[in-house]
């Protein structure tokens, strides 16, 4: 597909100087999508509900469409928009906004479908959106292998904090210098740091129910992550340890 279209004022606008034959080809593709996509989405929703497996299988269909119509990598972003604007009958409340490049629903489904099923099942769709939104967190594709190796499904709250902490850790970091085991140990330690925060903060709220720090939790958790990473750096350790987590929490919250 050498050209894409867009919607302006409710009317189709063709980009570039197109021949009658090229316009007919684009019209045929859009007509096919308009006929196929609603049925495909309805069938998948009936079989899988609206959870992660619905998105995974929808992504597989997206891959087939890319191949069938020869959609190049550079054209994909706008092609996802064409499906959203012209083909689907689903109303998706999530606003792609200024992060549209990374938050396109159909693009994210496609990326998800490229993962092993053993990886997909470890996270809910909401959790997958977290990592698919944060391009930097998945820039090193070995994050997916780490998820696959993780022994259990990951709690929503732990994953949310893990994504935030990982984003902070990866600033100005080149993870390609680590071999697999070194990198996975780092991921494990970041998850440990997040779990310790949840456990320690829960205990803190019981001990200090009137503390103003409870209401400003988001501020203190960022300080906690930064301090944990600082302590790791001080002792030239590659990973954050449990002792570092507890010491950092006590220094911030208990004093």
């Amino acid at each position: 597909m050498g050209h894409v279209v867009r919607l302006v004022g409710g009317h189709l606008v063709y980009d570039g100087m197109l021949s009658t034959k090229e316009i007919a080809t684009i019209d045929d593709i859009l007509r096919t999508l308009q006929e196929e996509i609603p049925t495909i989405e309805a069938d998948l929703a009936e079989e899988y509900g609206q959870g992660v497996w619905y998105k995974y299988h929808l992504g597989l269909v997206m891959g087939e469409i890319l191949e069938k119509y020869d959609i190049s990598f550079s054209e994909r972003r706008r092609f996802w928009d064409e499906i959203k604007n012209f083909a689907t009958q689903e109303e998706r409340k999530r606003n792609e906004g200024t992060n549209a490049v990374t938050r396109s629903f159909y693009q994210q489904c496609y990326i998800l479908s490229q993962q092993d099923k053993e990886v997909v099942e470890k996270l809910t769709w909401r959790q997958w959106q977290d990592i698919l939104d944060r391009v930097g967190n998945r820039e090193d594709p070995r994050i997916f292998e780490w998820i696959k190796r993780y022994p259990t499904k990951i709690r929503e709250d732990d994953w949310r904090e893990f994504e935030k902490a990982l984003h902070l850790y990866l600033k100005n970091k080149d993870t390609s210098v680590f071999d697999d085991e070194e990198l996975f140990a780092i991921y494990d330690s970041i998850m440990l740091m997040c779990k310790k925060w949840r456990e320690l903060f829960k205990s803190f709220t019981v001990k200090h129910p009137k503390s103003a720090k409870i209401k400003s939790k988001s501020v203190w958790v960022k300080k906690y992550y930064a301090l944990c990473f600082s302590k790791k750096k001080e002792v030239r350790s590659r990973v954050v340890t449990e002792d570092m987590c507890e010491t950092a929490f006590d220094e911030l919250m208990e004093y």
Side-chain angles (χ1 to χ4, degrees), residues 136-138 165-175 187:
N137 285 14
R138 56 182 169 87
L166 181 61
H167 181 71
L168 179 63
Y169 171 79
L170 289 175
K171 285 185 177 180
N172 303 316
K173 289 284 196 313
D174 177 12
T175 56
Y187 290 153

Side-chain angles (χ1 to χ4, degrees), residues 156-169:
E156 290 265 359
D157 48 2
D158 286 340
W159 179 256
R160 201 158 45 244
E161 293 305 324
F162 173 80
E163 278 285 277
K164 295 174 187 176
L166 181 61
H167 181 71
L168 179 63
Y169 171 79

Side-chain angles (χ1 to χ4, degrees), residues 235-246:
V235 297
R236 300 191 177 186
S237 172
R238 185 169 287 133
V239 300
V240 177
T241 67
E242 188 168 353
D243 286 345
M244 292 177 195
C245 296
E246 292 176 348

Side-chain angles (χ1 to χ4, degrees), residues 52-53 56 111-125 127-129 131-132 138 140-154 159 184 187:
V52 69
W53 290 116
Y56 171 81
I111 295 172
L112 180 67
S113 73
Q114 304 306 295
Q115 311 307 320
D116 292 342
K117 286 187 174 183
E118 294 85 354
V119 179
V120 175
E121 68 184 0
K122 289 293 179 67
L123 305 175
T124 65
W125 174 240
Q127 289 170 304
W128 273 111
Q129 284 183 310
I131 192 170
L132 294 173
R138 56 182 169 87
D140 189 324
R142 290 178 292 174
I143 184 67
F144 300 115
E145 179 61 29
W146 177 78
I147 295 171
K148 181 179 179 179
R149 291 189 182 193
Y150 200 79
T152 62
K153 294 188 74 168
I154 303 174
W159 179 256
F184 296 159
Y187 290 153

Side-chain angles (χ1 to χ4, degrees), residues 84 92-100 103 133:
K84 181 181 69 175
R92 309 195 190 280
K93 296 180 180 180
R94 192 170 189 249
N95 180 15
E96 294 178 2
T98 57
N99 293 321
R103 297 183 69 177
D133 283 348

Side-chain angles (χ1 to χ4, degrees), residues 16-70:
M17 297 294 292
L18 306 183
S19 67
T20 302
K21 183 178 179 180
E22 287 174 321
I23 291 176
T25 300
I26 293 174
D27 287 347
D28 180 62
I29 292 173
L30 291 176
R31 184 166 53 252
T32 301
L33 293 177
Q34 288 171 335
E35 293 173 356
E36 292 182 357
I37 295 298
T39 301
I40 290 169
E41 290 182 325
D43 289 346
L44 290 176
E46 183 176 353
E47 184 169 358
Y48 298 105
Q50 292 292 333
V52 69
W53 290 116
Y54 166 81
K55 278 74 174 185
Y56 171 81
H57 286 281
L58 182 58
L60 292 177
V61 174
M62 294 298 107
E64 294 172 359
I65 291 174
L66 292 177
E67 184 175 350
K68 179 179 179 180
Y69 296 128
D70 190 25

Side-chain angles (χ1 to χ4, degrees), residues 216-230:
S216 54
K217 178 180 177 181
S218 61
V219 173
W220 289 99
V221 70
K222 290 179 182 178
K223 292 182 178 182
Y224 163 78
Y225 295 151
L227 187 54
C228 286
F229 289 139
S230 176

